Amino acid sequence: AQSVTQLGSHVSVSEGALVLLRCNYSSSVPPYLFWYVQYPNQGLQLLLKYTSAATLVKGINGFEAEFKKSETSFHLTKPSAHMSDAAEYFCAVSVVAGNQFYFGTGTSLTVIP
Amino acid sequence: EAGVVQSPRYKIIEKKQPVAFWCNPISGHNTLYWYLQNLGQGPELLIRYENEEAVDDSQLPKDRFSAERLKGVDSTLKIQPAELGDSAVYLCASSLLAGGLTDTQYFGPGTRLTVL
């Protein structure tokens, strides 16, 4: 079965510090991987996605993620946190062959001034 | 370009009452998704349409939930009768391509349902 695990339901960082949000997946076939962000009272918005091209994926708002097959990970990073980055972040995995799409449970990011 | 539109934004009903949610996807998008999001959880797919065909409804509780997408455009999700455990946010999303599991999904703001 395919699934996605986000370690840490809450992460706090200081403004200007590195943001690291963790995502691990389990899949028997190469997956497609996504990071979505949800601001309060808004719908989810795509940050970036991995579709088997470059393993380092750059997204919007300065975020990037690296697909590491050996670690079955797709961690999201940003070099310097901004107050506006405070939101809920969801990792998602898509396995086309299995016709399956799953979101993780989310990580709430707090940015401390 | 208008985004995904959902209505109502908020709904409060008593248990055993029926409720319906409406979604208008982005114009031209072939795939439409309904998700349920419980507090503190990620969205869970209820049903996925490609045009007017429900291609995945395996997670839809069919004893009380129903959905339709007439003419392959807007969609309605219905619950009858509602139970206390149905209190959640119901999200609608759309994507351009059919077979859209790899395509970017665009989400509406959701409908927050409270069942008393």
Side-chain angles (χ1 to χ4, degrees):
Chain A
Q2 281 64 237
S3 69
V4 57
T5 302
Q6 291 185 242
L7 294 176
S9 58
H10 294 88
V11 171
S12 294
V13 299
S14 297
E15 189 175 16
L18 171 71
V19 176
L20 171 60
L21 304 181
R22 300 179 185 274
C23 174
N24 288 88
Y25 68 90
S26 65
S27 175
S28 56
V29 298
Y32 290 78
L33 296 159
F34 305 78
W35 276 99
Y36 282 83
V37 61
Q38 186 176 30
Y39 298 104
N41 297 315
Q42 295 186 27
L44 281 75
Q45 177 184 6
L46 181 72
L47 277 176
L48 49 82
K49 64 179 177 180
Y50 168 75
T51 57
S52 74
T55 56
L56 182 62
V57 182
K58 295 186 182 298
I60 63 171
N61 301 337
F63 284 94
E64 62 181 37
E66 186 172 7
F67 173 69
K68 292 187 176 180
K69 184 177 179 181
S70 61
E71 299 177 7
T72 61
S73 69
F74 191 57
H75 301 330
L76 181 71
T77 60
K78 182 174 180 178
S80 176
H82 192 273
M83 295 299 295
S84 61
D85 294 327
E88 189 85 16
Y89 291 80
F90 294 95
C91 183
V93 61
S94 171
V95 181
V96 178
N99 197 33
Q100 296 173 328
F101 188 93
Y102 296 106
F103 279 97
T105 54
T107 297
S108 177
L109 176 66
T110 299
V111 182
I112 304 167
Chain B
E1 177 182 277
V4 176
V5 179
Q6 290 188 248
S7 68
R9 290 293 310 276
Y10 304 91
K11 188 73 176 179
I12 300 174
I13 61 171
E14 294 188 346
K15 63 181 181 181
K16 300 185 181 181
Q17 295 299 307
V19 64
F21 314 124
W22 177 79
C23 173
N24 190 12
I26 294 173
S27 178
H29 279 198
N30 293 297
T31 303
L32 184 146
Y33 315 73
W34 281 104
Y35 289 90
L36 178 154
Q37 185 177 22
N38 287 304
L39 187 64
Q41 299 294 316
E44 300 171 28
L45 182 65
L46 290 173
I47 189 168
R48 176 167 62 98
Y49 283 93
E50 291 183 6
N51 299 305
E52 65 276 4
E53 180 183 1
V55 295
D56 182 4
D57 64 356
S58 58
Q59 300 305 310
L60 188 73
K62 298 181 183 66
D63 57 335
R64 297 185 299 109
F65 286 65
S66 64
E68 61 183 8
R69 190 184 184 197
L70 299 177
K71 300 181 181 179
V73 182
D74 55 353
S75 175
T76 302
L77 178 69
K78 298 178 181 178
I79 308 175
Q80 182 170 10
E83 297 179 351
L84 295 177
D86 296 332
S87 295
V89 176
Y90 291 82
L91 297 170
C92 179
S94 69
S95 61
L96 179 62
L97 303 175
L101 286 178
T102 63
D103 201 8
T104 299
Q105 296 180 40
Y106 296 84
F107 284 80
T111 297
R112 183 176 298 276
L113 173 67
T114 301
V115 182
L116 302 176

